[in-house]
Each structure stands twice: as structure tokens, then as C-alpha cells.
Amino acid sequence: MTSITADENTFGDMLWRQPSVLSETGSSLTTSSGGNSNASVDFLNFDKENYQSNSVDHLSFITHRSDHYHQLMDDLAIIDEIYQNFDDEVESEPYERQVADAARNVAQKKNLADQMCQSEESYIIDLETFECFYLRPIQQWISDPANAEVFVKYRGLCSKTALDSLFVHSRDMTLSHREFCRGLKERLDMWGPTQFVSDIFANFYEKMSLYESYLNVYPSMIVTLDSLYIKSPSFTKLIDGCVPPKAIPPVKDLVHYLMHPVTRLSSYSLVVSQIAACTEPSHPDYQALVRIKEKFVKREKKWRTITKDRLAHVRVLEASRNIQGNPANVTTARRLYITGLLTQVNLSDPQSMSDTRTYLLYNDFFLYCQKVKLGNKKSGTNKLQCKGVIDLKHAEITPLSAKLIVKMSEVKKASALSSFMRKSEPHSSKPAAATLVYGFEIRSNEPLADVISTGFQGDFAAVPGSGSNVKRRIVMRTQTESEQNAWMALLRKTSQLLTRKG
């Protein structure tokens, strides 16, 4: 299943951090041990003759054989040295741990800044490539008086103002990200434990406000580009010829460059949060980092809904350009919610997984496609071709029934020959692993004429009060439970929207 994700997955890892505080554990043990040892030395640091005269009865094992006395003193000296070394080690351990934690955090912080810098360089190359191979040719095409007629003829679809905004925003983005990347590089070149980066991110935060106006004009840009591509043969030829076959770096499809700025927006709040997390609270840059982190997080939450909407919109353009016979053209209101592989279950053979196709769910369409090969076998490329539409108006989307799950999870009976072959193998007695089944059912309204043309393939029932429609039962199988839940939620949402519209 395809999901809305950003390319810059290099900043998604959580940081691990040891506490940099002085530990109070173990101090009582070392103090008592040291005290006892010193007491033993003081007790035995006496005048030998006086001791012999007054304490002969009690310590005769020392006075009668002087070599025992010297051996005891040597042993106690060794014990004292061990205790002293142990005291030094335990007392210095919290400080050493604190130093090690601080050094680890400094290294992690530098690593994050370096990764951010590398990612910015890659993004800047994308912006420059977009401008060089797409925006400049499009701008020249618009300036040609011979192409002015299309903007007049399709005034409601083709907006020259929207394309002018695209040129301006793309140029401003490139300048802002170059400045941000240059600032990070300068700090990395003179990196140290007390290095500041909050001011770099604060300045970039202010520059990122241009993305808000970019997101606002985004739908008009998408519709204009699609309309020009469909209605102007010269524009179609221009776009198809924008991608040189051996360009370095390789030039990607137009949709990639339209999508990349939107998918990237959420990465900055994550990076700033990670840098703040691995900065010591005693660091002079800590408070400023926390403040700018809160600003980035707040803005990311504010933009979250609109970025998801814009990505769903540009996906409509992507599908329109890559699926043959796609009835879902680009409009200002159409959105592509989810795409992915689903297996339609044949109720007469519920274990079969042969009917697996690509399904696309829009906010007003649910269609399925099949791969087709264009060109010869060696150089041909696979593309999708629309094979049908499932009507979701008044449709019912329900989980798989327990009875159906049992049938779908049953292991097929093997033939006599395969059974004989398994018995001849030494390790053929292992039981078959249980199969987990995920999926859902759709009960949709289908026109009777369409059902007759397909030869009544599937499970159908008459719709009460409607002589021209029949209710069709479609069983879909997914790979995981998360896919099952996502598809069911979005299908129900789309069905409700279409039912309300009538």
C-alpha cells in the first residue's frame, strides 16, 4: 500500500541518550570500606616494645614470631591500596560518565547537522534541476505569443498567474535553502562542544513562510499543468522532451519535482527536535533551540492537513499521466486517497490469490488497473491500464465474516501424487503453518446492464425497489491488518461522501 511519506527518511531515527547526572549510588560502601581500613592501620601503628610488654597474652602470635607481624603489615598495606584505588574509581565514575555523555551528545548533534546539510544539498540540486529542465522551457513557452490562445480559450482551467507563481516560489526556495545550507556548513567547519546552531534554524524558520503561499496556489498550478498537457499538443511535446536520456544527475518526472517540496516540509521540525534533545541543558544554546523547536513543531501541525491534501491532489496528476484510460481526470476538487495491491477473492475458490490488481481510491472514484507492457519485450516498459470502476454509492463495507475467513484459510487438499512425494521425504511430517487472513467485503450497487455484459460473474442479489440495479458482493484480501483497516476506513468515507451527493 502506498502511503503519504516524505523522501527524507534519514532523520526519522530516535536518539538514545544516557543521563548526565552525578550518581549517588555506591558512596556509602566506599566510605565505610575506606574508614575501616584506615582504622586498622592506626590500630597497628604502635610502639612495638610497649605492645610486647602489655599485650603478650593477647597477640603472642605476633611477638613470638616477628615474620608474622611483617607479613600482616604487608597484607594490610595491600588491602589499603585496593580500597584507596576503589574509592578513587567510584568517586570519579559519575564525572567520567558525565563527560562521556556530553561528548556523545556533541558527536550526535554534529552528525544530525551534517545529515541535514547533505540532505539540503540534494534538495537544492533537485530545485536547480527543476528550474533548468522544466521551469525555464515552460516560461519560454508561455512567453511565445503563439501559445497565448490556450490561456484565453481555457480560462477556467489554465492560469498563467499560477505558473508565474510557481517560477517565483521555486526561485525563492532555492535561495533560502542555499543560505540555510551554507550557514550549516560554516558551523560544521568549526564545530566544537559550544557550537551554536539555533540562530541558523531561526533564520531559516522565517524564510520558510514562503511555503505557505506556495501551498495556497498549489491546486491551481496542478490543474493548469494537467490542462495544458491535455489540451495543447505543443505543451505536451515540450514536457515529454524536457527529460534528456543521459542527463547527470538524472532528470526525474515532472510530478517528482512538484511533490518533493511538499513531502519535505515535515522533516525540519523532526531534525530540530532531535538536535535539541541531544543538547545538554547547561549548553548556552539549549534554551534557544527549545524555543525554535517549539515554533517548528507548531507550524508543522498547522500545515499537516494542507500538506496531506496537496499530496493527494498531485497524486491525481501522477495517476492521470501514468494510467491508460483513467476516467479520473485532474480537477480542483478531486483527491487520490490511497493506492495499492488488493486481491479479489473468487468465492468458488477462496484460497486463490491469482486475481491481484492495483486499486486506486479517489474521493469520488474506486477503480482497478492491470499492468500492460508497451513496446517490445526487451525495451518495453510496464504501465497501468484502467480495467473497471466499482460504484461506492450506497455501498456497504464490512469486515470478513468468520465463516469466510475459515474457508479462505483452509489448506487445499493435495493430489495423490504430491501426497506420495511428501511421504517419501524425510521431513514431511511438519504441519502446515496457519494462514492469517485480512480483508473486507463490499456490497455495491451495479447496473443490471453491466452485470449482464460480464456474464453475471460474482455474487449478485436484486436491490429492492430498483429494477435496474443489483447488489454485488465483492470480497477483497489484503496483506496486513493495517492495510485492511486503512482501506475500510477510506472506503467508508468515500461511500458516505458519494451517497450524500446523491
Side-chain angles (χ1 to χ4, degrees):
M1 178 182 64
T2 306
S3 57
I4 300 176
T5 60
D7 275 344
E8 322 298 328
N9 283 331
T10 53
F11 306 104
D13 296 334
M14 298 298 295
L15 295 174
W16 175 79
R17 188 178 172 209
Q18 287 283 0
S20 299
V21 293
L22 294 175
S23 175
E24 296 180 358
T25 59
S27 57
S28 59
L29 174 64
T30 57
T31 303
S32 62
S33 301
N36 292 341
S37 175
N38 294 333
S40 63
V41 174
D42 293 337
F43 177 76
L44 292 171
N45 190 16
F46 50 83
D47 180 76
K48 183 178 178 181
E49 293 181 357
N50 183 51
Y51 176 81
Q52 287 176 340
S53 61
N54 296 327
S55 306
V56 172
D57 296 336
H58 299 286
L59 297 174
S60 58
F61 70 98
I62 294 179
T63 57
H64 294 307
R65 297 185 62 183
S66 60
D67 55 338
H68 288 293
Y69 170 78
H70 293 295
Q71 182 64 45
L72 178 61
M73 292 298 294
D74 291 341
D75 293 343
L76 291 175
I78 293 173
I79 295 173
D80 277 343
E81 185 177 356
I82 292 174
Y83 275 125
Q84 185 176 2
N85 293 337
F86 181 76
D87 287 345
D88 293 340
E89 181 180 350
V90 174
E91 290 174 1
S92 64
E93 183 181 348
Y95 174 75
E96 291 176 356
R97 186 189 303 118
Q98 186 178 18
V99 172
D101 292 344
R104 185 188 303 111
N105 291 334
V106 170
Q108 183 64 49
K109 186 175 177 180
K110 182 178 184 295
N111 184 51
L112 286 167
D114 186 59
Q115 289 182 12
M116 181 80 258
C117 191
Q118 293 179 25
S119 179
E120 282 293 292
E121 289 177 338
S122 176
Y123 180 48
I124 292 169
I125 291 174
D126 251 13
L127 291 173
E128 293 172 343
T129 304
F130 184 38
E131 180 180 1
C132 178
F133 290 96
Y134 285 102
L135 295 185
R136 288 178 188 171
I138 292 175
Q139 201 166 22
Q140 292 174 1
W141 185 89
I142 292 175
S143 301
D144 189 346
N147 301 317
E149 183 182 356
V150 68
F151 291 97
V152 177
K153 187 176 181 180
Y154 303 102
R155 191 183 302 273
L157 297 174
C158 303
S159 171
K160 189 176 179 181
T161 304
L163 294 181
D164 289 337
S165 298
L166 175 60
F167 305 145
V168 173
H169 284 111
S170 181
R171 184 185 65 248
D172 292 344
M173 288 177 195
T174 305
L175 294 174
S176 299
H177 286 274
R178 280 176 183 167
E179 181 181 349
F180 176 54
C181 186
R182 182 168 57 250
L184 281 178
K185 277 185 176 181
E186 291 173 355
R187 300 298 170 86
L188 286 168
D189 290 341
M190 52 181 180
W191 192 264
T194 59
Q195 186 58 269
F196 280 64
V197 291
S198 61
D199 57 322
I200 302 292
F201 282 97
N203 181 57
F204 182 60
Y205 175 85
E206 301 299 330
K207 297 291 180 65
M208 282 188 68
S209 59
L210 65 92
Y211 277 94
E212 188 162 4
S213 57
Y214 175 76
L215 292 172
N216 289 334
V217 76
Y218 199 84
S220 182
M221 292 188 307
I222 298 300
V223 173
T224 298
L225 290 169
D226 179 70
S227 299
L228 289 174
Y229 189 83
I230 294 174
K231 301 183 181 301
S232 174
S234 62
F235 188 82
T236 304
K237 184 178 179 181
L238 173 73
I239 296 299
D240 292 341
C242 282
V243 182
K246 296 182 180 180
I248 299 176
V251 180
K252 300 180 178 66
D253 185 75
L254 173 65
V255 175
H256 167 81
Y257 298 105
L258 295 171
M259 192 182 293
H260 197 177
V262 184
T263 58
R264 189 172 177 80
L265 286 177
S266 61
S267 63
Y268 296 101
S269 62
L270 180 61
V271 172
V272 177
S273 299
Q274 290 179 338
I275 289 178
C278 64
T279 301
E280 296 292 328
S282 58
H283 195 284
D285 198 29
Y286 178 75
Q287 294 299 331
L289 275 172
V290 171
R291 288 192 295 269
I292 194 61
K293 176 202 76 172
E294 292 172 351
K295 287 185 176 181
F296 271 98
V297 171
K298 184 178 179 181
R299 175 182 280 175
E300 193 271 332
K301 290 180 179 178
K302 176 184 174 182
W303 287 356
R304 189 175 298 167
T305 301
I306 191 172
T307 53
K308 287 183 178 180
D309 178 82
R310 300 310 185 246
L311 287 173
H313 196 191
V314 73
R315 280 204 177 99
V316 178
L317 175 63
E318 183 181 26
S320 177
R321 285 169 53 84
N322 291 283
I323 298 177
Q324 294 180 341
N326 188 349
N329 297 324
V330 178
T331 66
T332 54
R334 181 163 289 141
R335 300 293 184 266
L336 178 53
Y337 287 152
I338 187 174
T339 66
L341 295 176
L342 294 175
T343 301
Q344 185 170 340
V345 177
N346 185 349
L347 296 178
S348 61
D349 186 12
Q351 296 91 12
S352 175
M353 299 286 289
S354 59
D355 193 6
T356 300
R357 305 188 187 190
T358 300
Y359 285 77
L360 296 90
L361 177 63
Y362 298 81
N363 58 345
D364 57 353
F365 266 104
F366 184 37
L367 54 89
Y368 54 93
C369 306
Q370 188 174 4
K371 281 186 179 181
V372 292
K373 197 156 193 174
L374 303 178
N376 55 53
K377 294 183 179 180
K378 293 183 179 179
S379 60
T381 57
N382 290 325
K383 295 202 74 171
L384 292 176
Q385 184 176 29
C386 181
K387 287 297 184 179
V389 177
I390 298 174
D391 188 5
L392 293 178
K393 189 184 295 184
H394 301 289
E396 301 173 12
I397 292 89
T398 59
L400 298 177
S401 64
K403 184 178 180 180
L404 182 57
I405 290 176
V406 171
K407 289 183 178 180
M408 294 169 63
S409 58
E410 285 179 354
V411 180
K412 288 185 178 181
K413 292 183 179 180
S415 63
L417 177 62
S418 59
S419 299
F420 173 77
M421 294 298 293
R422 281 201 304 270
K423 288 179 180 179
S424 63
E425 295 176 0
H427 302 288
S428 61
S429 59
K430 292 183 179 180
T435 303
L436 297 177
V437 176
Y438 305 104
F440 52 89
E441 293 187 27
I442 303 174
R443 295 183 182 272
S444 65
N445 289 322
E446 300 284 344
L448 183 59
D450 293 346
V451 174
I452 294 175
S453 65
T454 60
F456 285 90
Q457 294 179 2
D459 189 1
F460 297 95
V463 178
S466 177
S468 60
N469 287 342
V470 293
K471 184 76 82 173
R472 181 185 180 188
R473 181 191 182 194
I474 305 171
V475 178
M476 295 293 188
R477 187 166 182 170
T478 64
Q479 295 294 324
T480 64
E481 185 178 6
S482 60
E483 289 182 6
Q484 165 193 288
N485 297 335
W487 277 104
M488 287 183 63
L490 292 172
L491 283 166
R492 285 170 176 168
K493 177 181 178 181
T494 303
S495 178
Q496 291 171 2
L497 288 172
L498 293 174
T499 303
R500 282 200 298 266
K501 289 180 181 179

